Amino acid sequence: MLDMPRFAACAQALLILVSVGHGFAKPLSAETKRCLLCHGKPDLTYRLADGAQYSLHVDSGRFAESIHADLPCTECHSNYRQGMHSVSAKAEPEEIPDKEVSGELKTWLGHVRGHNRPALAACLKCHKDEFRAYRKSIHAQALQKGSLDAPMCTDCHGNHYVRKHDDLESSTSQANVPATCANCHSNAT
């Protein structure tokens, strides 16, 4: 005889196991698909001012499983034009409607490493409360003191492949926080 409560629990556990490794891909917008015509190429890079190569590649499959997959690229990359675009290295804090955060952002951008300025401004468009919490952290204090190693949003959360905190593949899930912190802190446990 089939034990229904036990069967239901096993079926639910199996569904969780199957979905964790494969995520649930969201359909990508036409704009995102257009961007991926170039950014989907693994060898697409940009040379930074210091000579380092910066990858501009975005894996479409991984991005489709991220929490930002349903946003068009220009939601975050608002300083880019369509087509073969040019980029303004200057973030535009005036686009952030929250006056407190917008005013403070101008100060923060003075501490941020060059190519991450637009990324920080993009995160703040939607994540103002998280920024308020971050600015009280030890990492923010290190950034304000001029540390070039102090982490910002994308250093811990990633950029194109951000997952929900309760997703086991998220860099900030409880299971993965030690490994994420160990990227900078060799003594993280």
Side-chain angles (χ1 to χ4, degrees), residues 29-82:
S29 71
E31 176 188 303
T32 298
K33 289 177 184 176
R34 193 170 43 252
C35 294
L36 287 170
L37 290 174
C38 294
H39 290 276
K41 298 176 181 176
D43 59 345
L44 184 65
T45 60
Y46 177 77
R47 186 176 302 280
L48 299 172
D50 65 3
Q53 291 280 23
Y54 185 75
S55 176
L56 298 175
H57 173 250
V58 176
D59 180 300
S60 62
R62 287 183 64 204
F63 180 70
E65 294 178 355
S66 78
I67 60 174
H68 295 136
D70 55 345
L71 299 175
C73 297
T74 54
E75 186 69 27
C76 297
H77 299 281
S78 60
N79 54 343
Y80 289 82
R81 293 187 314 208
Q82 288 194 4

Side-chain angles (χ1 to χ4, degrees), residues 24-29 31-32 36 58 60-77 119 122-127 130 153-154 157-165 167:
F24 290 104
K26 298 176 188 174
L28 301 176
S29 71
E31 176 188 303
T32 298
L36 287 170
V58 176
S60 62
R62 287 183 64 204
F63 180 70
E65 294 178 355
S66 78
I67 60 174
H68 295 136
D70 55 345
L71 299 175
C73 297
T74 54
E75 186 69 27
C76 297
H77 299 281
C123 295
L124 291 180
K125 285 168 74 175
C126 298
H127 302 287
E130 289 80 359
C153 311
T154 57
H157 297 276
N159 45 27
H160 297 107
Y161 315 124
V162 178
R163 291 178 173 256
K164 291 183 178 181
H165 296 288
D167 184 321

Side-chain angles (χ1 to χ4, degrees), residues 85-153:
H85 46 72
S86 64
V87 60
S88 165
K90 183 177 121 183
E92 300 168 359
E94 59 274 6
E95 290 185 15
I96 300 171
D98 185 308
K99 296 291 185 203
E100 175 191 352
V101 170
S102 182
E104 188 170 349
L105 178 58
K106 292 177 185 177
T107 302
W108 280 86
L109 289 177
H111 301 291
V112 176
R113 299 180 297 277
H115 67 280
N116 279 326
R117 289 176 187 210
L120 178 60
C123 295
L124 291 180
K125 285 168 74 175
C126 298
H127 302 287
K128 294 177 223 46
D129 291 339
E130 289 80 359
F131 174 68
R132 287 185 181 99
Y134 169 81
R135 69 184 183 193
K136 297 174 185 172
S137 73
I138 193 165
H139 293 133
Q141 292 169 20
L143 184 66
Q144 288 179 310
K145 291 176 183 174
S147 171
L148 295 178
D149 295 325
M152 295 172 297
C153 311

